[in-house]
């Protein structure tokens, strides 16, 4: 319609009566009350006014209808809010600078965001339909006098926000050489957003094939509550944990999972009973904060598109990954939040704690060539370690480094962790490349960090700190007291802190030295007998002097990075050609051994040896002091065909194969299940402190005569146990068999429980084994003489019983 300036306008929309208002500006929004019999609904009619600079006329068109309009019905419409230029649907007040993010109450929503260098800020609101069209529904400029306190921009909007998303535009200097990236043409995601609205379906491109469609934050609702059904933290002593590293999507995405919603939080819930059967009481979820799985989509891998499957490239740390939910972005992301909560609640019902892997070392924005999504467009110099000429420090190996010890950033980290503990009920955190969190912040300032000058302070950015402020804050925060804190105590910049990570007595570490030593000794490398014995004791060489305990060591042989357990005994060399990088990526030094032939196609004798070695590794993990961690799929022998860096594969390489698990149910899976049960039954394998000579005795081929020489490939020990009396455990990693003389215990006899040299089911003599007596009698003549024959590359567990 053509309209004269300042004239009144009238329009008719489907289901609405006529309306009339005078023009107030070039764009505005009207809110109507729609009556339909006894029912009523509030709807907003968005009208866009455009002018022709060469004439005195305007044209108006109905762009969208927000609310519960019903087609084919007639209803009267009356304005219930005054028309106001730019933000007519909401009453805009000054608001409060805290808390950060969007906070709802019964009247409206408070918005608050930090930006130290922005000269102007605009709050942008989207209807969900406008968001898909990359079109801002409404822009609300923030008044620097009324809507700013210090460096915090804020506003309170009265009104209704169902199915509304938000973001910000920031104005200021765009000067990458100064570390400034302000661009008022971009809508930036709030770091404190509780859900990210964008693509709703995993792996599906956005409009026009866009890998990075516009993202916006969920505007929270004041009445969005979740029924926790009385859920409370389990608070297991850490010494009693058996951790299972799990990828949410990969756990049930394979067709053989037969769950209702494969690859989702709901799908994982349907398979939690497997973990309970395995004996796991803690899952460590690989990153499930919002990330873009299509981040590398345009990079080809031999005709297939590269995916970011693992998720170590976070966009927003508060938001659960929406495309891991069966609902996607439905209900403005509320359903995704609730599905994650359901996973935690249902895990707790089964006695399983939930730890999340969180990536506070870098973000998805990369280096200067990366996208401007959130932190960079808000305050790049605050959130990232920036050099004098604007260059990004890269201690993460992923293009940027999160500026963890900056006052604003460390508050952000603390707030984020509090949210996941109090709102999402998680039980702890594993910190990826945690050593970055110990480095001095960009523009290091001891006054802002410690509140005073530090005598002789010569620290420069990135220097490791003995008392990092962010670690101090996390360690002493009352909200976080009692949660599990696990550091991956190294980074890509060469900082290696295993055994030396600042810990305040409560931090644990992924023990990379345990992994390396155990791999070397089990495959028969000389010179590791003594180091292996320390690993069995919980690595006192690393943790005892600093006042920590065995449970501060998270013991693992395999994790998502590197070979699976099956591949560790099948490949000497990585096979990463499928990644599309000519096999250049991934670790070259895997400390693996293929048992004599490379690859899965091998002779029967080699395949048998591989099974034996897998049992040796798992047994070692379960009898070591400290906290064992199992990688998803290792319990049935999952293979990635020698690929030790499958971050980019959303396929069978990273999917748990439930049919394979069923095939192994009476073989290796049975062995793993029985070994975890045995660990839980033995208090001596879960000590609160390092074992001493009162409880533990070392042996060699002869009792009490251990061999710690450089050529020794035999380690044995006996351990006093309150429930099992005494346990004898031995490892023979030589290529030669040996007959072991056992400790003499008058009035008692030794009986075999585990022998990894034997095929299933005789590798573990459980009580339900129908021919257990026959098998026991086969070695009775050795045991009656206090002897036991051990094949090469085997391990045993014997139990002490009274003479009958």
């Amino acid at each position: 319609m053509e309209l004269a300036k300042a004239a009144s306008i009238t329009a008719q929309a489907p289901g609405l009566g006529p309306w009339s208002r005078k023009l107030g500006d070039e764009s505005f929004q009207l809110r109507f009350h729609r009556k339909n019999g006894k029912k009523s609904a509030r709807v907003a009619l968005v009208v866009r006014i455009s002018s022709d600079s060469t004439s005195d006329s305007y044209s108006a068109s109905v762009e969208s209808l927000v609310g519960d309009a019903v087609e084919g019905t007639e209803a009267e419409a009356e304005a219930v809010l005054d028309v106001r230029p730019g933000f007519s649907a909401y009453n805009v007040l000054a608001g409060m600078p805290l808390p950060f993010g969007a906070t709802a109450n019964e009247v409206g929503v408070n918005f608050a965001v930090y930006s130290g260098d922005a000269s102007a800020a605009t709050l942008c609101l989207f209807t969900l339909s406008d968001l898909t069209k990359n079109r801002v529904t409404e822009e609300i400029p923030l008044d620097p006098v009324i809507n700013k306190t210090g460096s915090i921009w804020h506003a309170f909007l009265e009104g209704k926000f169902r199915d509304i998303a938000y973001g910000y535009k920031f104005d200021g200097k765009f000067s990458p050489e100064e570390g400034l990236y302000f661009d008022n043409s971009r809508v930036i995601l709030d770091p404190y957003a509780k859900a990210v609205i964008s693509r709703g379906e995993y792996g599906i491109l956005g409009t026009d094939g866009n890998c990075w469609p516009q993202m916006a934050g969920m505007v929270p609702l004041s009445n969005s509550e979740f029924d926790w059904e009385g859920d409370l933290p389990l608070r297991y002593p850490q010494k009693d944990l058996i951790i299972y590293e799990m990828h949410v999507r990969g756990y049930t995405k394979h067709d053989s999972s037969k769950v209702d919603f494969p690859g989702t939080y709901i799908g994982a819930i349907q398979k939690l009973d497997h973990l309970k059967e395995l004996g796991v009481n803690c899952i460590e979820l690989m990153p499930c904060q919002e990330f873009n799985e299509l981040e590398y989509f345009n990079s080809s891998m031999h005709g297939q598109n590269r995916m970011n499957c693992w998720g170590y490239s976070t966009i927003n740390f508060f938001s659960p990954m929406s495309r891991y939910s069966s609902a996607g972005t439905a209900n403005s992301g509320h359903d995704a939040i609730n599905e994650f909560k359901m996973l935690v609640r249902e895990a707790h019902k089964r006695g399983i704690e939930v730890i999340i892997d969180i990536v506070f070392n870098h973000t998805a924005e990369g280096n200067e060539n990366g996208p401007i999504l959130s932190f960079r467009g808000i305050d790049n110099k605050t959130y990232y370690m920036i050099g004098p000429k604007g260059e990004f420090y890269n201690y993460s190996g992923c293009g940027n480094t999160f500026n963890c010890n900056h006052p604003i950033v460390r508050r952000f980290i603390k707030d984020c962790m509090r949210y996941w503990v109090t709102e999402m009920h998680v039980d702890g955190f594993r910190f990826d490349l945690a050593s970055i969190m110990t480095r001095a912040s960009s523009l290091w300032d001891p006054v802002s960090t410690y509140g005073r000058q530090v005598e002789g302070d010569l620290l420069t950015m990135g220097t490791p700190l003995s008392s990092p402020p962010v670690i101090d804050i996390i360690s002493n925060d009352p909200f976080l007291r009692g949660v599990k804190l696990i550091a991956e105590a190294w980074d890509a910049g060469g900082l290696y802190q295993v055994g030396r990570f600042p810990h305040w007595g409560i931090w644990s570490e992924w023990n990379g030295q345990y992994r390396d030593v155990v791999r070397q000794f089990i495959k028969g490398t000389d010179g590791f007998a003594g180091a292996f014995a320390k690993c069995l004791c919980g690595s006192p060489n690393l943790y005892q002097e600093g006042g920590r305990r065995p449970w501060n060591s998270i013991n693992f042989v395999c994790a998502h990075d590197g070979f699976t357990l099956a591949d560790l005994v099948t490949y000497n060399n990585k096979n990463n050609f499928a990644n599309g990088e000519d096999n250049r990526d991934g670790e070259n030094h895997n400390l693996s051994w293929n048992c004599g032939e490379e690859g899965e196609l091998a002779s029967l004798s080699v395949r048998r040896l591989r099974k034996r070695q897998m049992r040796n590794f798992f047994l070692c993990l379960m009898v070591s002091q400290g906290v064992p961690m199992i990688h998803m799929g290792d319990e049935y022998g999952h293979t990635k065909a020698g690929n030790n860096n499958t971050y980019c594969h959303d396929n069978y390489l990273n999917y748990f194969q439930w049919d394979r698990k069923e095939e192994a149910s009476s073989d290796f899976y049975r062995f793993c299940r029985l070994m975890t049960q045995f660990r839980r039954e033995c208090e001596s394998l879960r000590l609160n402190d390092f074992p001493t000579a009162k409880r533990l005795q070392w042996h060699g081929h002869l009792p009490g005569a251990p061999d710690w020489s450089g050529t020794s490939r035999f380690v044995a020990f006996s351990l006093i146990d309150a429930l099992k009396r005494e346990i004898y455990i031995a490892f023979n990693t030589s290529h030669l068999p040996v007959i072991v003389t056992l400790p003499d215990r008058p009035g008692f006899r030794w009986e075999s429980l585990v022998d990894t040299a034997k095929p299933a089911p005789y590798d573990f003599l459980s009580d339900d084994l129908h021919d257990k007596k026959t098998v026991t009698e086969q070695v009775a003549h050795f045991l009656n003489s206090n002897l036991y024959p051990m094949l090469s590359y085997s391990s045993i567990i014997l139990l002490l019983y009274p003479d009958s």
Side-chain angles (χ1 to χ4, degrees):
M1 64 189 76
E2 293 295 324
L3 306 161
K5 282 185 177 179
S8 64
I9 58 177
T10 302
Q12 179 86 29
L16 293 175
W19 53 266
S20 178
R21 276 294 179 270
K22 288 185 177 181
L23 291 171
D25 198 63
E26 292 188 4
S27 68
F28 59 90
Q29 191 175 72
L30 294 174
R31 184 175 291 279
F32 288 88
H33 185 72
R34 175 183 169 281
K35 297 178 180 178
N36 183 15
K38 294 183 179 180
K39 297 181 180 180
S40 64
R42 301 175 71 85
V43 297
L45 189 65
V46 179
V47 183
R48 299 191 183 276
I49 311 298
S50 58
S51 64
D52 184 345
S53 60
T54 62
S55 66
D56 291 331
S57 65
Y58 286 76
S59 61
S61 61
V62 177
E63 292 288 351
S64 62
L65 193 64
V66 183
D68 298 322
V70 180
E71 291 188 19
T73 62
E74 294 291 330
E76 293 183 5
E78 57 178 316
V80 295
L81 288 179
D82 291 337
V83 178
R84 295 204 262 171
F87 48 86
S88 58
Y90 302 98
N91 187 24
V92 181
L93 304 175
M96 299 294 292
L98 291 175
F100 288 125
T103 308
N105 62 25
E106 294 78 8
V107 180
V109 177
N110 190 79
F111 297 87
V113 63
Y114 167 90
S115 181
D117 292 321
S119 60
T122 300
L123 176 62
C124 301
L125 300 178
F126 297 87
T127 64
L128 299 188
S129 60
D130 275 352
L131 180 61
T132 61
K133 299 170 185 174
N134 196 22
R135 182 171 63 194
V136 178
T137 305
E138 189 169 344
E139 294 190 4
I140 303 173
L142 301 184
D143 188 326
V145 176
I146 299 173
N147 301 113
K148 189 179 183 185
T149 301
S151 296
I152 302 174
W153 298 85
H154 49 81
F156 185 88
L157 272 62
E158 292 181 338
K160 302 298 182 181
F161 286 89
R162 180 165 292 280
D163 293 331
I164 298 295
Y166 79 103
Y168 293 96
K169 289 183 178 180
F170 292 95
D171 208 350
K173 194 173 183 180
F174 187 88
S175 179
E177 63 274 12
E178 298 178 72
L180 301 173
Y181 285 82
F182 293 109
D183 182 350
N184 65 4
S185 69
R186 298 176 183 270
V187 180
I188 300 301
L189 184 65
D190 182 4
Y192 278 79
K194 303 307 185 294
V196 176
I197 314 299
S198 183
R199 296 179 297 103
E201 189 174 352
Y202 190 98
I204 302 301
L205 294 167
T207 306
D208 300 325
N210 189 356
C211 293
W212 292 96
Q214 179 63 56
M215 293 177 287
M218 170 198 75
V219 178
L221 302 175
S222 61
N223 60 351
S224 58
E225 295 185 359
F226 176 77
D227 184 5
W228 280 104
E229 301 179 3
D231 178 67
L232 291 172
L234 297 173
R235 298 201 182 282
Y236 292 137
Q238 189 155 314
K239 68 181 181 66
D240 294 333
L241 293 185
I242 298 177
I243 298 176
Y244 187 89
E245 188 190 30
M246 188 176 97
H247 186 274
V248 171
R249 178 172 170 83
Y251 188 54
T252 61
K253 185 59 182 172
H254 196 266
D255 290 342
S256 61
S257 72
K258 294 182 171 55
V259 299
D260 296 330
F261 299 99
T264 67
Y265 303 122
I266 298 297
I269 291 171
Q270 292 181 259
K271 290 294 189 179
L272 285 175
D273 288 339
H274 161 70
L275 301 178
K276 187 173 179 64
E277 179 187 58
L278 178 59
V280 166
N281 60 5
C282 179
I283 51 176
E284 180 179 299
L285 301 179
M286 289 173 64
C288 49
Q289 294 82 37
E290 189 70 24
F291 66 92
N292 184 2
E293 75 279 8
L294 300 179
E295 180 176 355
Y296 319 122
F297 189 75
N298 291 325
S299 300
S300 177
M301 301 187 305
H302 302 291
Q304 297 183 0
N305 289 305
R306 189 191 309 271
M307 302 285 279
N308 177 9
C309 180
W310 287 351
Y312 289 91
S313 190
T314 312
I315 293 171
N316 184 278
F317 292 96
F318 280 83
S319 305
M321 175 62 169
S322 60
R323 291 173 299 285
Y324 279 176
S325 75
S326 64
T329 56
N331 195 19
S332 298
H334 292 281
D335 289 351
I337 294 173
N338 287 341
E339 284 192 20
F340 182 89
K341 290 178 178 180
M342 287 176 62
L343 173 58
V344 175
R345 184 189 69 193
E346 297 306 308
H348 285 175
K349 286 181 180 179
R350 291 161 175 80
I352 300 172
E353 291 191 335
V354 179
I355 290 173
I356 61 172
D357 195 339
I358 201 159
V359 191
F360 283 134
N361 60 77
H362 76 284
T363 76
E365 291 183 301
N367 60 18
E368 62 274 6
N369 299 316
I372 300 174
L373 306 171
S374 182
F375 303 97
R376 177 171 298 158
I378 293 175
D379 199 317
N380 186 67
K381 291 169 66 175
T382 290
Y383 285 105
Y384 297 115
M385 288 191 184
I386 304 298
K389 297 181 180 180
E391 63 271 28
F392 288 85
Y393 279 65
N394 189 19
Y395 295 117
S396 69
C398 298
N400 64 53
T401 304
F402 214 48
N403 202 17
C404 297
N405 282 297
H406 187 285
I408 291 296
V409 183
R410 63 180 187 251
R411 174 174 182 140
F412 170 82
I413 291 172
K414 179 194 69 176
D415 289 347
C416 182
M417 293 176 63
R418 283 182 171 184
Y419 175 79
W420 283 96
V421 169
T422 60
E423 183 65 24
M424 310 297 267
H425 287 207
V426 304
D427 302 284
F429 303 88
R430 181 262 185 187
F431 297 84
D432 185 64
L433 298 184
S435 289
I436 281 175
M437 300 173 71
T438 72
R439 292 184 181 271
S441 65
S442 186
L443 304 177
W444 172 256
D445 177 6
V447 175
S448 67
T449 301
Y450 294 113
R452 58 181 174 79
Q453 287 288 349
V454 178
E455 188 69 26
D457 178 45
L458 298 175
L459 292 175
T460 59
M461 177 178 58
T463 300
L465 306 172
S466 59
S467 298
V470 69
I471 304 298
D472 187 355
I473 288 172
I474 293 169
S475 303
N476 293 289
D477 185 79
F479 286 86
L480 303 178
R481 179 59 61 183
V483 305
K484 276 72 176 181
L485 303 172
I486 302 171
E488 184 183 37
W490 56 82
D491 66 22
L495 184 56
Y496 189 82
Q497 297 176 307
V498 172
R500 298 180 293 108
F501 190 85
H503 55 79
W504 274 262
I506 58 177
W507 284 74
S508 300
E509 299 169 8
W510 265 27
N511 191 344
Q513 292 193 28
Y514 177 97
R515 172 200 60 204
D516 297 345
V517 169
V518 168
R519 287 187 179 191
Q520 293 273 40
F521 182 76
I522 294 295
K523 74 186 181 79
T525 306
D526 284 341
F528 285 91
F532 180 73
K534 293 174 183 176
C535 290
L536 294 170
C537 292
S539 301
N541 54 310
L542 297 176
Y543 301 111
Q544 191 168 31
E545 185 176 344
R548 284 189 281 180
R549 306 293 179 85
W551 47 264
N552 290 118
S553 172
I554 307 300
N555 301 330
F556 66 103
V557 175
C558 299
H560 66 274
D561 259 335
F563 281 150
T564 66
L565 184 58
D567 289 350
L568 186 67
V569 299
T570 305
Y571 295 91
N572 284 351
N573 304 303
K574 66 182 183 181
N575 181 27
N576 296 2
F577 291 99
N579 299 356
E581 300 181 43
D582 295 326
N583 210 34
R584 295 188 302 270
D585 63 307
E587 178 60 55
N588 291 317
H589 305 287
N590 296 284
L591 306 177
S592 60
W593 179 44
N594 63 17
C595 298
E597 299 177 27
E598 187 76 356
E600 294 186 52
L601 297 177
S603 63
L604 179 60
S605 61
V606 167
R607 296 201 306 272
R608 286 174 175 168
L609 178 55
R610 289 172 179 174
K611 281 280 186 70
R612 194 185 311 171
Q613 287 290 73
M614 288 170 63
R615 290 191 284 263
N616 290 333
F617 278 120
F618 200 87
L619 185 149
C620 173
L621 197 58
M622 290 300 132
V623 302
S624 297
Q625 302 296 331
V627 178
M629 186 186 78
I630 307 166
H631 178 54
M632 182 182 85
D634 279 349
E635 70 268 34
Y636 69 79
H638 181 76
T639 177
K640 298 182 180 181
N643 193 326
N644 69 0
N645 191 31
T646 58
Y647 73 98
C648 51
H649 291 275
D650 181 45
N651 56 36
Y652 68 94
L653 292 178
N654 284 315
Y655 293 170
F656 189 105
Q657 297 178 31
W658 293 92
D659 49 354
R660 291 282 305 277
K661 178 256 176 177
E662 289 304 317
E663 293 171 6
S665 61
S666 60
D667 192 349
F668 187 60
Y669 174 71
R670 171 186 176 272
F671 180 84
C672 294
R673 177 174 55 81
L674 292 172
M675 280 303 310
T676 59
Q677 178 181 324
F678 177 73
R679 179 180 175 85
R680 293 196 308 273
E681 293 172 352
C682 299
E683 58 83 27
S684 62
L685 299 178
R686 299 174 284 108
L687 298 177
N688 196 49
D689 212 337
F690 297 100
T692 65
K694 291 182 179 179
R695 184 186 282 267
L696 181 146
Q697 185 180 9
W698 296 106
H699 308 290
H701 294 165
L702 299 176
D707 182 2
W708 306 122
S709 69
T711 57
S712 174
R713 298 185 185 182
F714 185 89
V715 170
F717 64 97
S718 55
L719 196 61
I720 303 296
D721 187 87
L723 301 176
K724 303 287 188 183
R725 297 185 184 84
E726 191 171 2
I727 307 167
Y728 179 89
I729 301 172
F731 297 87
N732 177 29
T733 65
S734 170
H735 61 287
L736 300 174
V738 61
I739 295 179
V740 180
T741 302
L742 304 174
D744 185 22
R745 300 291 186 255
F748 294 86
R749 72 183 189 281
W750 293 103
E751 287 192 8
S752 174
L753 178 70
V754 177
D755 188 338
T756 63
K758 295 180 178 180
Y762 309 114
D763 49 2
F764 196 114
L765 301 181
S766 57
D767 291 336
D768 60 352
L769 194 62
H770 71 280
D771 51 353
K772 177 181 178 180
K773 182 177 180 182
T774 302
V775 177
T776 302
E777 289 174 350
Q778 291 176 351
V779 292
H781 58 294
F782 280 101
L783 292 172
N784 290 339
S785 301
N786 248 21
L787 301 172
Y788 194 89
M790 292 186 69
L791 293 187
S792 60
Y793 303 109
S794 69
S795 48
I796 60 172
I797 299 177
L798 309 179
L799 299 180
L800 193 67
Y801 289 90
D803 277 335
S804 54

